[in-house]
Amino acid sequence: MAMSRAWLRRAVLVASVLALAGCADAGASKAPIRTGAPPTERIPTIIDADMDLSDVSAIAVLLRDPGVDVRAITIAGTGLIHCPAGRRLVRYLLDQLGATDIPVGCGREKGGLGAHPFPADWRAVADAGFGLAIGSQAESSPPRDAVGVLTSAVASSPSAPTIVTLGPLTNLQDAIAADPNLADHLAGVHAMLGTLGAPGNVMVDTFSAKDPLEWNAFADPTAVSAVFDTDVPIELIPLDATDDVPVPADYLERLAGDHVGAGADLTYELLLRNPARLRADQGQQLWDELAALTMTNQDLVTWDDATVTVGPDGRLTRDDAGRTVRFATAADRSAVEAALLEALRRGGPRATPFSLAGSLTATFDGTTCSLSGQSDGPGVHDLAYHGKKGLPSGVGIIGATPPHALAEALAALPTLDLSKPLPEWLISVTGATDEPGTGDPVTAPADLAEGIYAPVCFTGVWPNFRYVAGLPFTVGSGQIGS
């Protein structure tokens, strides 16, 4: 088969770059070029994301990477977030990171044949901005479509750009369909996508880890097929590599020591507001962070080539009849964590740095539940819990929305069936748990709105808990307790 002019041009450039770099290792996998002709000092990059928590940190990494020139950000409407909320969140991030001149667009929200929308409750959390105080984020111009933003960014790029995809590939599919010549002007696609040998991460309906499915591919399989049908060089950061980099259990503590940089501060706040990302049982990985880091630091992972086909459900299968992709087979965990912290701390502070709204300490001796500390207003409070040694226990914070009262919420606790959803009017703020009963302090964030609350200590085995309530306190009242 005759090669296209674009493919030949890429091949010549790859050979030139490898020769200049002195890295022509015959046994190594060749990387797709990252910048076209003429080569540019910084890699022209277009980010296509669906705005999950991992995306936020990844975008911060790329925006502050001195080797990356972010030309545009497009939002995959077929991914986690809906378009209006996605635009608000991206605009907020750009404001916070001092990059307000970057164009933003959002694509269609319905995928192609075999598409699988993300669960509605996941999307609701993303649409709410993961708890960030975003506000209205008024658009300076009418909302733009992702295809127009993407194609304009390609046309105006100083050399062929690399598309970094952190969500479904719908926008890229649509851009290529709108302009069949677009693929000839891309240096490559660098995608957090798929799995070639690792367990899947799609665990809804009848699917489990035994199914080799990854959400970005599963959400819109026809888009993956369309992109794979082009001759654009494709480089994957699949679950094979991200499985090696789970979100560190001490990630929050490590960021707490230094989160002056905008990316570190945003990540620190998001972890405080969304502590489930730190829980090992949630299977959270540094998915998109690894994709962002490996744009300019390829040594963080091990690379190989594979010839694959795309199934109707988005699964990637090794098949000689398919197309060749370069993919990361493994990642160096300690090196990735160090590189991530360094990248997030790069550059100046965010426009409105985050600060805790208060610091609270709860204690439980098996009989009395008490709370002390400081609350300066609504927001994230740092909560430390000290339980009785030898007694598995924990603490939560309870409130009620009007016209219901706090007393009503406290009276309802012993009657609740915890296997069912709580009443909508009952506010239950996740607290801290000393499940082993070590008596050592346990810390957790508590995101509190304005209102009156009470600490509730508990002991026992789920769902049969014994509750002991402490004295009520008012958010923003200053000093609490003794």
Side-chain angles (χ1 to χ4, degrees):
M1 179 185 296
M3 291 190 293
S4 71
R5 285 195 299 265
W7 185 260
L8 182 59
R9 183 171 67 249
R10 293 189 191 103
V12 171
L13 279 168
V14 169
S16 300
V17 170
L18 289 175
L20 288 171
C23 58
D25 180 356
S29 173
K30 294 182 179 179
I33 60 172
R34 308 207 167 273
T35 181
T40 52
E41 184 176 343
R42 299 168 67 207
I43 304 168
T45 301
I46 298 167
I47 303 172
D48 187 69
D50 68 346
M51 301 316 297
D52 66 4
L53 284 170
S54 190
D55 285 17
V56 174
S57 295
I59 291 172
V61 167
L62 290 167
L63 286 172
R64 290 287 173 88
D65 189 328
V68 172
D69 174 19
V70 177
R71 311 288 299 180
I73 297 177
T74 54
I75 305 160
T78 53
L80 186 65
I81 205 165
H82 291 94
C83 280
R87 285 192 295 266
R88 285 195 298 273
L89 179 54
V90 172
R91 281 293 170 205
Y92 177 78
L93 294 179
L94 294 177
D95 287 347
Q96 295 296 301
L97 287 153
T100 55
D101 59 335
I102 293 175
V104 176
C106 192
R108 60 183 162 98
E109 296 192 351
K110 185 175 181 180
L113 185 67
H116 302 88
F118 280 73
D121 54 338
W122 296 8
R123 304 193 82 180
V125 174
D127 287 347
F130 302 105
L132 294 170
I134 294 175
S136 60
Q137 290 299 118
E139 300 262 6
S140 58
S141 59
R144 297 182 63 184
D145 178 70
V147 171
V149 170
L150 197 155
T151 53
S152 294
V154 172
S156 63
S157 179
S159 63
T162 293
I163 310 291
V164 177
T165 65
L166 308 176
L169 302 187
T170 313
N171 289 336
L172 186 52
Q173 174 196 20
D174 289 351
I176 292 171
D179 179 5
N181 294 320
L182 182 80
D184 290 343
H185 300 286
L186 299 179
V189 175
H190 180 79
M192 193 281 116
L193 183 100
T195 175
L196 283 89
N201 68 351
V202 175
M203 300 181 192
V204 296
D205 300 327
T206 60
F207 297 105
S208 70
K210 294 180 180 179
D211 298 292
L213 299 170
E214 181 276 324
W215 265 107
N216 288 342
F218 182 69
D220 195 1
T222 58
V224 182
S225 294
V227 174
F228 275 45
D229 283 344
T230 70
D231 64 1
V232 176
I234 295 175
E235 183 171 84
L236 301 181
I237 306 297
L239 298 182
D240 307 67
T242 65
D243 273 0
D244 291 336
V245 285
V247 174
D250 63 348
Y251 195 15
L252 188 62
E253 287 77 10
R254 292 161 76 176
L255 283 169
D258 177 6
H259 57 95
V260 175
D265 196 49
L266 282 161
T267 302
Y268 177 68
E269 180 181 358
L270 285 168
L271 290 173
L272 282 168
R273 295 185 181 278
N274 302 270
R277 182 149 169 77
L278 296 165
R279 288 172 46 189
D281 63 345
Q282 296 296 300
Q284 296 285 306
Q285 299 167 11
L286 299 173
W287 295 293
D288 303 302
E289 293 95 334
L290 185 61
L293 291 168
T294 51
M295 270 293 288
T296 55
N297 192 348
Q298 295 255 302
D299 291 339
L300 293 173
V301 295
T302 303
W303 297 97
D304 199 358
D305 293 327
T307 305
V308 300
T309 56
V310 181
D313 54 4
R315 71 183 66 202
L316 305 182
T317 303
R318 292 175 185 265
D319 188 331
D320 290 341
R323 69 107 75 211
T324 299
V325 299
R326 183 174 188 256
F327 75 103
T329 65
D332 183 331
R333 181 173 180 175
S334 61
V336 169
E337 291 179 4
L340 177 58
L341 289 172
E342 179 183 356
L344 290 173
R345 289 168 175 158
R346 188 177 290 135
R350 63 194 276 197
T352 53
F354 170 75
S355 60
L356 287 167
S359 185
L360 306 172
T361 299
T363 59
F364 182 49
D365 61 7
T367 302
T368 302
C369 182
S370 61
L371 187 77
S372 62
Q374 182 82 13
S375 176
D376 298 321
V380 179
H381 293 62
D382 184 40
L383 174 65
Y385 173 67
H386 301 260
K388 182 180 180 180
K389 186 173 182 179
L391 180 70
S393 63
V395 66
I397 296 178
I398 300 296
T401 58
H404 299 275
L406 174 62
E408 188 178 353
L410 295 174
L413 274 180
T415 68
L416 295 176
D417 181 351
L418 298 183
S419 65
K420 297 180 180 179
L422 298 177
E424 291 186 0
W425 58 268
L426 193 152
I427 302 171
S428 176
V429 179
T430 301
T433 304
D434 178 16
E435 188 173 352
T438 63
D440 296 330
V442 181
T443 60
D447 194 356
L448 301 172
E450 288 185 303
I452 301 174
Y453 299 84
V456 175
C457 299
F458 57 88
T459 186
V461 178
W462 192 92
N464 300 312
F465 292 121
R466 176 173 69 88
Y467 300 103
V468 178
L471 295 175
F473 69 97
T474 301
V475 169
S477 59
Q479 190 68 29
I480 297 170
S482 56

